[in-house]
Amino acid sequence: PDNACYVIYPSYNSINLNRSSISKEEKNIVLFLIDATWPCSKSMLLQSQNLDALEKVSFTHNKVSAFDFKKQPKDYCLSTMESTLCVLELLNNHQDENLDKEKLDNFLQPFEKMVEYQISCV
């Protein structure tokens, strides 16, 4: 009862963080992120009544995924790490989070190194 739980997933009914805050007075915000391929994450939502019952949270952006060694299904699709950064930045904008800008600026560094390594192995 102390938590307001959401799943980050695009949906027509989702709360778009670009336009709205998800802050609930005196409740902890709990965000579930599905770390999977797009088809697998959709399947997880369909098969899990618990996940599917949660309100969906989404965001809009104009970024292009840096996940160069893997093709995204649509131009607007990002990796889990890139999506997490977008969400954290928006939560910061709404003051639902209080994260240092320098930490956010460096957030993708491990992801970028992983992509660089994967490309070097090809």
Side-chain angles (χ1 to χ4, degrees):
D2 295 337
N3 297 326
C5 298
Y6 305 90
V7 64
I8 299 172
Y9 201 84
S11 163
Y12 291 111
N13 307 10
S14 66
I15 300 167
N16 187 304
L17 288 176
N18 297 75
R19 296 188 294 269
S20 303
S21 171
I22 55 173
S23 180
K24 304 263 187 187
E25 286 184 32
E26 298 184 29
K27 290 211 175 202
N28 303 310
I29 297 171
V30 178
L31 295 173
F32 290 91
L33 234 116
I34 301 172
D35 184 23
T37 62
W38 282 99
C40 187
S41 64
K42 185 176 185 178
S43 177
M44 289 169 101
L45 273 180
L46 293 173
Q47 292 181 30
S48 171
Q49 293 176 351
N50 293 330
L51 275 178
D52 197 36
L54 295 175
E55 272 191 90
K56 310 301 182 281
V57 171
S58 66
F59 57 93
T60 53
H61 63 89
N62 58 2
K63 299 177 181 185
V64 175
S65 179
F67 212 3
D68 293 339
F69 63 91
K70 184 176 179 190
K71 183 166 173 31
Q72 298 295 341
K74 303 274 187 204
D75 289 340
Y76 61 83
C77 295
L78 299 174
S79 70
T80 303
M81 289 293 294
E82 293 165 319
S83 296
T84 301
L85 177 59
C86 288
V87 169
L88 290 173
E89 289 171 336
L90 290 165
L91 291 173
N92 243 15
N93 291 346
H94 290 297
Q95 298 176 342
D96 292 332
E97 282 291 343
N98 185 23
L99 301 168
D100 183 68
K101 181 176 173 2
E102 184 180 335
K103 288 182 181 174
L104 289 175
D105 290 344
N106 294 322
F107 185 82
L108 289 179
Q109 195 171 33
F111 170 78
E112 291 162 352
K113 292 290 184 191
M114 178 199 68
V115 170
E116 188 180 299
Y117 174 75
Q118 289 287 340
I119 291 172
S120 76
C121 291
V122 175

